[in-house]
Amino acid sequence: MTSREAVRDEGADPAGRDPFLLYDGECPFCSFYVAKSQFETRIGKPLRLIDGREAPGLVSRLRREGYDLEECC
């Protein structure tokens, strides 16, 4: 998946209610990992892959909710 295929509509809630993975689309490691991995949740639904650089509204919301998006692993 490329960052072009990630969610782009800032007006909508890109995360919705489905499980998602927020990643840094400008990070070579993150982009490679997302492109080469096939994610599926425990409930059998695909994991939505969201490039945080193309979903600033979601990034802002998660930060307001107290998530540290700079912390890795």
Side-chain angles (χ1 to χ4, degrees):
M1 167 165 287
T2 66
S3 61
R4 290 185 234 7
E5 295 169 326
V7 176
R8 295 173 189 239
D9 184 7
E10 292 179 42
D13 181 4
R17 294 186 178 265
D18 292 330
F20 67 94
L21 173 84
L22 182 67
Y23 71 99
D24 182 350
E26 291 186 12
C27 169
F29 175 79
C30 295
S31 296
F32 180 80
Y33 180 74
V34 166
K36 296 299 178 188
S37 299
Q38 293 185 4
F39 296 100
E40 189 171 296
T41 64
R42 282 197 244 173
I43 58 174
K45 292 176 101 176
L47 189 64
R48 292 196 51 206
L49 305 173
I50 302 173
D51 179 349
R53 306 256 179 188
E54 296 190 12
L58 174 61
V59 170
S60 295
R61 188 186 90 207
L62 292 173
R63 284 191 173 134
R64 280 192 311 274
E65 291 177 5
Y67 290 96
D68 182 358
L69 303 179
E70 302 302 319
E71 183 180 323
C72 180
C73 312

